[in-house]
Amino acid sequence: MKVSGPLREHKLKKMKKSSREIVYCGQVFEKSPLQVKNFGIWLRYDSRSGTHNMYRQYRALTTAGAGPAPSPAHSIQIMKVEEIPAGKRRRPAVKQLHDSNIKFPAPHCVLCRQHKPRFTTKGPNTFF
């Protein structure tokens, strides 16, 4: 949903609700939804101690999937969501996934026991 400036800045400047204007309300479709991208999200949230600004980096397929964890809707304001290139990333959790030699091993696999007895005294070998 795209809105004009006064709606977004309602909490900053205590404005009347009648001065807001919705410009467009619709779903935003991704150009390449099957490619993993890095997203930077600038947001403001209200906690028990006050209002805080935060910058988070996520790695997701779409902009909608890159959002923060569920929280009360009235306590969070997303200011800007931007796709960031691989060279501009800051967070180590996102940086570690950009290694060209990264591997995801599957430890402790149990092989199918087709030609072996169902009940035996020896357990399955899960280390290969």
Side-chain angles (χ1 to χ4, degrees):
M1 180 166 98
K2 295 181 182 178
V3 294
S4 62
L7 178 61
R8 188 177 48 148
E9 298 171 0
H10 173 67
K11 282 201 157 188
L12 296 175
K13 305 172 185 175
K14 301 289 186 181
M15 298 186 70
K16 290 171 51 179
K17 291 182 181 178
S18 62
S19 63
R20 299 185 287 187
E21 178 187 357
I22 295 177
V23 177
Y24 172 76
C25 183
Q27 186 175 4
V28 178
F29 295 99
E30 298 285 329
K31 292 180 182 175
S32 55
L34 299 178
Q35 181 182 6
V36 179
K37 297 173 277 299
N38 302 314
F39 292 99
I41 299 178
W42 288 263
L43 55 96
R44 171 182 288 131
Y45 69 97
D46 295 326
S47 68
R48 287 188 273 178
S49 60
T51 304
H52 309 283
N53 295 327
M54 183 193 311
Y55 172 72
R56 296 291 307 253
Q57 286 186 347
Y58 292 97
R59 190 166 163 82
L61 294 172
T62 62
T63 308
S71 63
H74 61 84
S75 68
I76 190 167
Q77 297 174 343
I78 296 178
M79 306 304 279
K80 181 168 71 167
V81 177
E82 185 177 279
E83 185 178 341
I84 47 178
K88 299 267 185 184
R89 62 200 187 279
R90 299 184 205 172
R91 306 294 189 251
V94 176
K95 279 185 179 182
Q96 69 181 353
L97 296 172
H98 282 279
D99 185 13
S100 60
N101 297 324
I102 191 168
K103 294 181 179 162
F104 296 98
H108 301 290
C109 355
V110 178
L111 294 177
C112 185
R113 301 166 54 111
Q114 291 178 346
H115 304 293
K116 295 187 178 179
R118 183 177 297 256
F119 302 105
T120 181
T121 57
K122 186 175 138 188
N125 184 15
T126 61
F127 295 100
F128 300 102

Coordinates of all heavy atoms in Angstrom, one line a residue, residues 15-88:
M15 N -1.0 15.0 13.5 CA -1.9 15.5 12.5 C -3.3 15.0 12.7 O -3.6 14.0 13.3 CB -1.4 15.1 11.1 CG 0.0 15.7 10.8 SD 0.4 15.3 9.1 CE -0.7 16.4 8.2
K16 N -4.3 15.7 12.1 CA -5.6 15.3 12.1 C -5.8 14.1 11.1 O -5.2 14.0 10.1 CB -6.6 16.4 11.6 CG -6.7 17.5 12.6 CD -7.4 18.7 12.1 CE -8.7 18.3 11.5 NZ -9.4 19.5 10.9
K17 N -6.7 13.2 11.4 CA -6.9 12.0 10.6 C -7.6 12.4 9.3 O -7.4 11.7 8.3 CB -7.8 11.0 11.3 CG -7.2 10.3 12.5 CD -8.1 9.3 13.1 CE -7.4 8.7 14.3 NZ -8.3 7.7 15.0
S18 N -8.3 13.5 9.2 CA -9.0 13.9 8.0 C -8.0 14.5 7.0 O -8.4 14.6 5.8 CB -10.0 15.0 8.4 OG -9.4 16.1 8.9
S19 N -6.8 14.8 7.3 CA -5.8 15.4 6.4 C -5.0 14.3 5.6 O -4.2 14.6 4.8 CB -4.9 16.3 7.0 OG -4.1 15.6 8.0
R20 N -5.3 13.0 5.9 CA -4.5 11.9 5.3 C -5.2 11.6 4.0 O -6.4 11.8 3.8 CB -4.5 10.7 6.2 CG -3.8 11.0 7.5 CD -3.7 9.7 8.3 NE -4.9 9.3 8.8 CZ -5.1 8.3 9.7 NH1 -4.1 7.6 10.1 NH2 -6.3 8.0 10.2
E21 N -4.4 11.0 3.1 CA -4.9 10.6 1.8 C -4.3 9.3 1.3 O -3.1 9.2 1.3 CB -4.6 11.7 0.8 CG -5.1 11.4 -0.6 CD -4.6 12.4 -1.6 OE1 -4.0 13.4 -1.2 OE2 -4.9 12.2 -2.8
I22 N -5.1 8.3 0.9 CA -4.6 7.0 0.4 C -4.5 7.2 -1.1 O -5.4 7.5 -1.8 CB -5.5 5.9 0.8 CG1 -5.5 5.7 2.3 CG2 -5.0 4.6 0.1 CD1 -6.4 4.6 2.8
V23 N -3.2 7.0 -1.6 CA -3.0 7.2 -3.0 C -3.2 5.9 -3.8 O -3.9 5.9 -4.9 CB -1.5 7.7 -3.2 CG1 -1.2 7.8 -4.7 CG2 -1.3 9.0 -2.5
Y24 N -2.8 4.8 -3.3 CA -2.9 3.5 -4.0 C -2.9 2.4 -3.0 O -2.2 2.4 -2.0 CB -1.7 3.4 -4.9 CG -1.6 2.0 -5.5 CD1 -2.4 1.6 -6.6 CD2 -0.6 1.1 -5.1 CE1 -2.3 0.4 -7.2 CE2 -0.5 -0.2 -5.7 CZ -1.3 -0.5 -6.7 OH -1.2 -1.7 -7.3
C25 N -3.8 1.4 -3.2 CA -3.9 0.3 -2.3 C -3.9 -1.0 -3.2 O -4.9 -1.2 -4.0 CB -5.1 0.4 -1.5 SG -5.3 -1.0 -0.3
G26 N -2.9 -1.8 -3.2 CA -2.8 -2.9 -4.1 C -1.6 -3.8 -3.7 O -0.7 -3.4 -2.9
Q27 N -1.5 -4.9 -4.3 CA -0.4 -5.8 -4.1 C 0.8 -5.5 -5.0 O 0.6 -5.2 -6.2 CB -0.8 -7.3 -4.3 CG 0.2 -8.3 -4.0 CD -0.3 -9.7 -4.1 OE1 -1.4 -9.9 -4.5 NE2 0.5 -10.7 -3.7
V28 N 2.0 -5.5 -4.5 CA 3.2 -5.2 -5.2 C 3.8 -6.6 -5.6 O 4.1 -7.4 -4.8 CB 4.2 -4.4 -4.4 CG1 5.5 -4.2 -5.2 CG2 3.6 -3.1 -4.0
F29 N 4.0 -6.8 -6.9 CA 4.5 -8.1 -7.4 C 6.0 -7.9 -7.7 O 6.5 -6.9 -8.1 CB 3.8 -8.5 -8.7 CG 2.4 -8.8 -8.5 CD1 1.4 -7.9 -8.8 CD2 2.0 -10.0 -8.0 CE1 0.1 -8.2 -8.6 CE2 0.6 -10.3 -7.8 CZ -0.3 -9.4 -8.1
E30 N 6.8 -9.0 -7.3 CA 8.2 -9.0 -7.5 C 8.6 -9.3 -9.0 O 7.9 -10.0 -9.6 CB 8.9 -10.1 -6.6 CG 8.6 -9.9 -5.2 CD 9.5 -8.8 -4.6 OE1 10.6 -8.5 -5.1 OE2 9.1 -8.1 -3.6
K31 N 9.7 -8.7 -9.4 CA 10.1 -9.0 -10.8 C 10.7 -10.4 -10.9 O 10.5 -11.1 -11.9 CB 11.2 -8.0 -11.2 CG 10.7 -6.6 -11.4 CD 11.8 -5.6 -11.8 CE 11.2 -4.2 -11.9 NZ 12.3 -3.2 -12.1
S32 N 11.5 -10.8 -9.9 CA 12.0 -12.2 -9.9 C 11.8 -12.8 -8.5 O 12.6 -12.8 -7.7 CB 13.5 -12.1 -10.2 OG 14.2 -11.3 -9.3
P33 N 10.6 -13.4 -8.3 CA 10.3 -14.0 -7.0 C 11.0 -15.3 -6.7 O 10.9 -15.8 -5.6 CB 8.8 -14.2 -7.1 CG 8.5 -14.4 -8.5 CD 9.5 -13.5 -9.3
L34 N 11.7 -15.9 -7.6 CA 12.4 -17.2 -7.4 C 13.9 -17.0 -7.1 O 14.6 -18.0 -7.0 CB 12.2 -18.1 -8.5 CG 10.7 -18.5 -8.8 CD1 10.6 -19.4 -10.0 CD2 10.1 -19.1 -7.6
Q35 N 14.3 -15.8 -7.0 CA 15.7 -15.5 -6.7 C 15.9 -14.9 -5.3 O 15.2 -14.0 -4.9 CB 16.3 -14.5 -7.8 CG 17.7 -14.2 -7.6 CD 18.2 -13.1 -8.6 OE1 17.4 -12.6 -9.4 NE2 19.5 -12.8 -8.6
V36 N 16.9 -15.4 -4.6 CA 17.1 -14.9 -3.2 C 17.8 -13.6 -3.2 O 18.7 -13.4 -4.0 CB 17.9 -16.0 -2.4 CG1 18.2 -15.5 -1.0 CG2 17.2 -17.3 -2.4
K37 N 17.3 -12.6 -2.5 CA 17.8 -11.3 -2.4 C 18.0 -10.8 -1.0 O 17.5 -11.4 -0.1 CB 16.8 -10.3 -3.1 CG 16.6 -10.6 -4.6 CD 15.5 -9.8 -5.2 CE 14.1 -10.3 -4.9 NZ 13.7 -11.6 -5.4
N38 N 18.8 -9.8 -0.8 CA 19.1 -9.2 0.5 C 18.2 -8.0 0.6 O 18.2 -7.2 -0.3 CB 20.6 -8.8 0.6 CG 21.5 -10.0 0.4 OD1 21.2 -11.1 1.0 ND2 22.5 -9.9 -0.3
F39 N 17.6 -7.8 1.7 CA 16.8 -6.6 2.0 C 17.2 -5.9 3.2 O 17.6 -6.5 4.2 CB 15.3 -7.1 2.2 CG 14.7 -7.6 0.9 CD1 14.6 -8.9 0.7 CD2 14.2 -6.7 0.0 CE1 14.0 -9.4 -0.4 CE2 13.6 -7.2 -1.2 CZ 13.5 -8.6 -1.4
G40 N 17.2 -4.6 3.2 CA 17.5 -3.8 4.3 C 16.2 -3.1 4.7 O 15.5 -2.5 3.9
I41 N 15.8 -3.1 6.0 CA 14.5 -2.6 6.5 C 14.8 -1.6 7.6 O 15.5 -1.9 8.6 CB 13.6 -3.7 7.0 CG1 13.3 -4.7 5.9 CG2 12.3 -3.1 7.6 CD1 12.5 -5.8 6.3
W42 N 14.4 -0.4 7.4 CA 14.4 0.7 8.4 C 13.1 0.7 9.1 O 12.0 0.9 8.4 CB 14.8 2.0 7.8 CG 16.2 2.1 7.3 CD1 17.2 2.7 8.0 CD2 16.7 1.7 6.1 NE1 18.4 2.6 7.3 CE2 18.1 2.0 6.1 CE3 16.2 1.0 5.0 CZ2 18.9 1.7 5.0 CZ3 17.0 0.7 3.9 CH2 18.4 1.1 3.9
L43 N 13.0 0.6 10.4 CA 11.7 0.7 11.0 C 11.8 1.4 12.4 O 12.9 1.6 12.9 CB 11.1 -0.8 11.2 CG 12.0 -1.8 11.9 CD1 11.6 -1.9 13.4 CD2 11.8 -3.1 11.3
R44 N 10.6 1.8 12.9 CA 10.5 2.4 14.1 C 9.5 1.6 14.9 O 8.5 1.3 14.4 CB 10.0 3.9 13.9 CG 9.6 4.6 15.2 CD 9.1 6.0 15.0 NE 10.2 6.8 14.6 CZ 10.2 7.6 13.5 NH1 9.2 7.7 12.8 NH2 11.3 8.3 13.2
Y45 N 9.8 1.4 16.2 CA 8.9 0.6 17.0 C 8.8 1.2 18.4 O 9.7 1.9 18.9 CB 9.3 -0.9 17.1 CG 10.5 -1.1 17.9 CD1 10.5 -1.5 19.2 CD2 11.8 -1.0 17.3 CE1 11.6 -1.7 19.9 CE2 13.0 -1.2 18.0 CZ 12.9 -1.6 19.3 OH 14.0 -1.8 20.1
D46 N 7.7 1.0 19.0 CA 7.4 1.5 20.4 C 7.6 0.3 21.4 O 7.0 -0.7 21.2 CB 6.0 2.0 20.5 CG 5.7 3.2 19.6 OD1 6.7 4.0 19.5 OD2 4.6 3.4 19.1
S47 N 8.4 0.6 22.4 CA 8.6 -0.4 23.4 C 8.1 0.2 24.7 O 7.6 1.3 24.7 CB 10.1 -0.8 23.5 OG 10.8 0.3 24.0
R48 N 8.3 -0.5 25.8 CA 7.8 0.0 27.1 C 8.6 1.2 27.5 O 8.2 2.0 28.3 CB 7.9 -1.1 28.1 CG 6.8 -2.1 27.9 CD 6.7 -3.0 29.1 NE 7.6 -4.2 28.8 CZ 7.9 -5.1 29.7 NH1 7.3 -5.1 30.9 NH2 8.7 -6.1 29.4
S49 N 9.9 1.3 27.0 CA 10.7 2.4 27.5 C 10.7 3.6 26.5 O 11.3 4.6 26.8 CB 12.2 1.9 27.6 OG 12.6 1.4 26.4
G50 N 10.1 3.5 25.3 CA 10.1 4.6 24.4 C 10.0 4.2 23.0 O 9.8 3.0 22.7
T51 N 10.3 5.1 22.1 CA 10.3 4.8 20.6 C 11.8 4.6 20.1 O 12.6 5.4 20.5 CB 9.7 6.0 19.9 OG1 8.3 6.2 20.4 CG2 9.5 5.7 18.4
H52 N 12.0 3.6 19.4 CA 13.3 3.3 18.9 C 13.4 3.1 17.4 O 12.4 2.6 16.8 CB 13.9 2.0 19.5 CG 13.7 2.0 21.0 ND1 14.6 2.7 21.9 CD2 12.8 1.4 21.8 CE1 14.2 2.5 23.1 NE2 13.1 1.7 23.1
N53 N 14.5 3.5 16.8 CA 14.7 3.3 15.3 C 15.6 2.0 15.2 O 16.5 1.8 16.0 CB 15.4 4.5 14.7 CG 14.5 5.7 14.7 OD1 13.3 5.6 14.6 ND2 15.2 6.8 14.8
M54 N 15.4 1.3 14.1 CA 16.2 0.0 14.0 C 16.4 -0.2 12.5 O 15.6 0.2 11.6 CB 15.4 -1.1 14.5 CG 16.1 -2.5 14.4 SD 15.1 -3.9 14.7 CE 14.2 -3.6 16.2
Y55 N 17.6 -0.8 12.2 CA 17.9 -1.2 10.8 C 18.2 -2.7 10.9 O 19.0 -3.2 11.7 CB 19.1 -0.5 10.3 CG 19.6 -1.0 8.9 CD1 18.9 -0.8 7.8 CD2 20.7 -1.8 8.8 CE1 19.3 -1.3 6.6 CE2 21.2 -2.3 7.6 CZ 20.4 -2.0 6.5 OH 20.9 -2.5 5.3
R56 N 17.5 -3.5 10.0 CA 17.6 -4.9 10.0 C 17.9 -5.4 8.6 O 17.4 -4.8 7.6 CB 16.4 -5.7 10.5 CG 16.0 -5.4 11.9 CD 16.9 -6.1 12.9 NE 17.2 -7.5 12.6 CZ 16.7 -8.5 13.4 NH1 16.0 -8.2 14.4 NH2 17.0 -9.7 13.1
Q57 N 18.7 -6.4 8.4 CA 18.9 -7.0 7.1 C 18.4 -8.4 7.1 O 18.6 -9.2 8.1 CB 20.4 -7.1 6.8 CG 21.0 -5.8 6.5 CD 22.4 -5.9 6.1 OE1 23.1 -6.9 6.2 NE2 22.9 -4.8 5.5
Y58 N 17.6 -8.8 6.1 CA 17.0 -10.1 5.9 C 17.4 -10.6 4.5 O 17.7 -9.8 3.6 CB 15.5 -10.0 6.0 CG 15.0 -9.7 7.4 CD1 14.7 -8.4 7.7 CD2 14.9 -10.7 8.3 CE1 14.2 -8.1 8.9 CE2 14.4 -10.4 9.6 CZ 14.1 -9.1 9.9 OH 13.6 -8.7 11.1
R59 N 17.4 -11.9 4.4 CA 17.6 -12.6 3.1 C 16.4 -13.4 2.8 O 16.0 -14.3 3.6 CB 18.9 -13.5 3.3 CG 19.4 -14.0 2.0 CD 20.8 -14.6 2.2 NE 21.2 -15.5 1.2 CZ 21.7 -15.1 0.0 NH1 21.8 -13.8 -0.2 NH2 22.0 -16.0 -0.9
A60 N 15.7 -13.0 1.7 CA 14.4 -13.6 1.4 C 14.2 -13.6 -0.1 O 14.9 -13.0 -0.8 CB 13.3 -12.9 2.2
L61 N 13.1 -14.2 -0.5 CA 12.7 -14.3 -1.9 C 11.9 -13.0 -2.3 O 12.1 -12.5 -3.4 CB 11.9 -15.5 -2.2 CG 12.6 -16.8 -2.1 CD1 11.6 -18.0 -2.2 CD2 13.6 -17.0 -3.1
T62 N 11.1 -12.5 -1.4 CA 10.2 -11.4 -1.8 C 10.3 -10.3 -0.7 O 10.8 -10.6 0.4 CB 8.7 -11.8 -1.9 OG1 8.3 -12.4 -0.7 CG2 8.6 -12.8 -3.0
T63 N 9.8 -9.2 -1.0 CA 9.8 -8.1 0.0 C 8.9 -8.4 1.2 O 9.2 -8.1 2.3 CB 9.3 -6.8 -0.7 OG1 10.1 -6.6 -1.8 CG2 9.5 -5.6 0.2
A64 N 7.8 -9.0 0.9 CA 6.8 -9.4 1.9 C 7.4 -10.4 2.9 O 7.1 -10.5 4.1 CB 5.5 -9.9 1.3
G65 N 8.2 -11.3 2.4 CA 8.8 -12.4 3.2 C 10.0 -11.9 4.0 O 10.5 -12.6 4.9
A66 N 10.5 -10.7 3.8 CA 11.6 -10.1 4.5 C 11.3 -9.3 5.7 O 12.1 -8.8 6.3 CB 12.4 -9.2 3.5
G67 N 10.0 -9.3 6.0 CA 9.6 -8.5 7.2 C 10.0 -9.1 8.5 O 10.4 -10.2 8.6
P68 N 9.9 -8.2 9.5 CA 10.3 -8.7 10.9 C 9.3 -9.6 11.4 O 8.2 -9.8 10.9 CB 10.4 -7.4 11.7 CG 9.5 -6.4 10.9 CD 9.6 -6.8 9.5
A69 N 9.7 -10.2 12.6 CA 8.8 -11.2 13.2 C 7.5 -10.5 13.6 O 7.4 -9.3 13.8 CB 9.5 -11.8 14.5
P70 N 6.4 -11.3 13.8 CA 5.1 -10.7 14.1 C 5.2 -10.0 15.4 O 5.8 -10.4 16.4 CB 4.2 -11.9 14.2 CG 4.9 -13.0 13.5 CD 6.3 -12.7 13.5
S71 N 4.6 -8.8 15.4 CA 4.5 -8.0 16.6 C 3.2 -7.2 16.5 O 2.6 -7.2 15.5 CB 5.7 -7.1 16.8 OG 5.7 -6.2 15.7
P72 N 2.8 -6.6 17.6 CA 1.5 -5.8 17.5 C 1.6 -4.7 16.4 O 2.6 -4.0 16.3 CB 1.4 -5.1 18.9 CG 2.2 -6.0 19.8 CD 3.3 -6.6 18.9
A73 N 0.6 -4.6 15.6 CA 0.7 -3.7 14.4 C 0.8 -2.3 14.8 O 1.3 -1.5 14.1 CB -0.6 -4.0 13.5
H74 N 0.2 -1.9 15.9 CA 0.2 -0.5 16.3 C 1.6 -0.1 16.9 O 1.9 1.1 17.0 CB -0.8 -0.2 17.4 CG -0.7 -1.0 18.6 ND1 0.2 -0.6 19.6 CD2 -1.2 -2.2 19.0 CE1 0.2 -1.5 20.6 NE2 -0.7 -2.5 20.3
S75 N 2.5 -1.0 17.2 CA 3.7 -0.6 17.8 C 4.9 -0.6 16.8 O 6.0 -0.3 17.2 CB 4.1 -1.6 18.9 OG 4.4 -2.9 18.4
I76 N 4.7 -0.9 15.5 CA 5.8 -0.9 14.6 C 5.4 -0.1 13.3 O 4.3 -0.2 12.9 CB 6.1 -2.4 14.2 CG1 7.4 -2.4 13.4 CG2 5.0 -3.1 13.5 CD1 8.0 -3.8 13.3
Q77 N 6.4 0.7 12.8 CA 6.2 1.4 11.6 C 7.4 1.1 10.7 O 8.5 1.4 11.1 CB 6.2 2.9 11.9 CG 5.0 3.4 12.8 CD 5.2 4.9 13.1 OE1 6.3 5.4 13.0 NE2 4.1 5.5 13.6
I78 N 7.1 0.6 9.5 CA 8.2 0.3 8.6 C 8.4 1.5 7.7 O 7.5 2.0 7.0 CB 7.8 -0.9 7.7 CG1 7.7 -2.2 8.6 CG2 8.8 -1.1 6.6 CD1 7.3 -3.4 7.9
M79 N 9.6 2.1 7.8 CA 9.8 3.4 7.1 C 10.3 3.1 5.7 O 9.8 3.8 4.8 CB 10.9 4.1 7.9 CG 10.6 4.4 9.4 SD 9.1 5.2 9.6 CE 9.5 6.8 9.4
K80 N 11.2 2.2 5.5 CA 11.7 1.9 4.2 C 12.2 0.5 4.0 O 12.8 0.0 5.0 CB 12.9 2.9 3.9 CG 13.5 2.8 2.5 CD 14.4 3.9 2.2 CE 15.7 3.9 3.0 NZ 16.8 4.8 2.5
V81 N 11.9 -0.1 2.9 CA 12.4 -1.4 2.6 C 13.2 -1.3 1.3 O 12.6 -0.8 0.3 CB 11.3 -2.5 2.4 CG1 11.8 -3.8 2.0 CG2 10.5 -2.6 3.7
E82 N 14.4 -1.8 1.2 CA 15.2 -1.6 0.1 C 16.0 -2.9 -0.2 O 16.5 -3.5 0.7 CB 16.2 -0.4 0.3 CG 17.1 0.0 -0.8 CD 17.9 1.2 -0.4 OE1 17.4 2.3 -0.5 OE2 19.1 0.9 0.0
E83 N 16.1 -3.3 -1.5 CA 17.0 -4.4 -1.8 C 18.4 -3.9 -1.9 O 18.7 -2.9 -2.5 CB 16.6 -4.9 -3.2 CG 17.3 -6.2 -3.6 CD 16.9 -6.7 -4.9 OE1 15.8 -6.4 -5.4 OE2 17.6 -7.5 -5.5
I84 N 19.3 -4.6 -1.2 CA 20.7 -4.2 -1.1 C 21.6 -5.2 -1.9 O 21.4 -6.4 -1.8 CB 21.2 -4.1 0.3 CG1 20.8 -5.3 1.2 CG2 20.7 -2.8 1.0 CD1 21.3 -5.2 2.6
P85 N 22.6 -4.7 -2.6 CA 23.5 -5.6 -3.3 C 24.4 -6.3 -2.4 O 24.5 -6.0 -1.2 CB 24.3 -4.6 -4.2 CG 24.2 -3.3 -3.6 CD 22.9 -3.3 -2.8
A86 N 25.1 -7.4 -2.9 CA 25.9 -8.2 -2.0 C 27.1 -7.5 -1.4 O 27.5 -7.8 -0.3 CB 26.4 -9.4 -2.8
G87 N 27.6 -6.5 -2.1 CA 28.7 -5.8 -1.6 C 28.4 -4.8 -0.4 O 29.3 -4.3 0.3
K88 N 27.1 -4.4 -0.3 CA 26.7 -3.4 0.7 C 26.2 -4.0 2.0 O 25.7 -3.3 2.9 CB 25.7 -2.5 0.1 CG 26.1 -1.7 -1.1 CD 26.7 -0.4 -0.7 CE 27.0 0.4 -2.0 NZ 27.6 1.6 -1.7

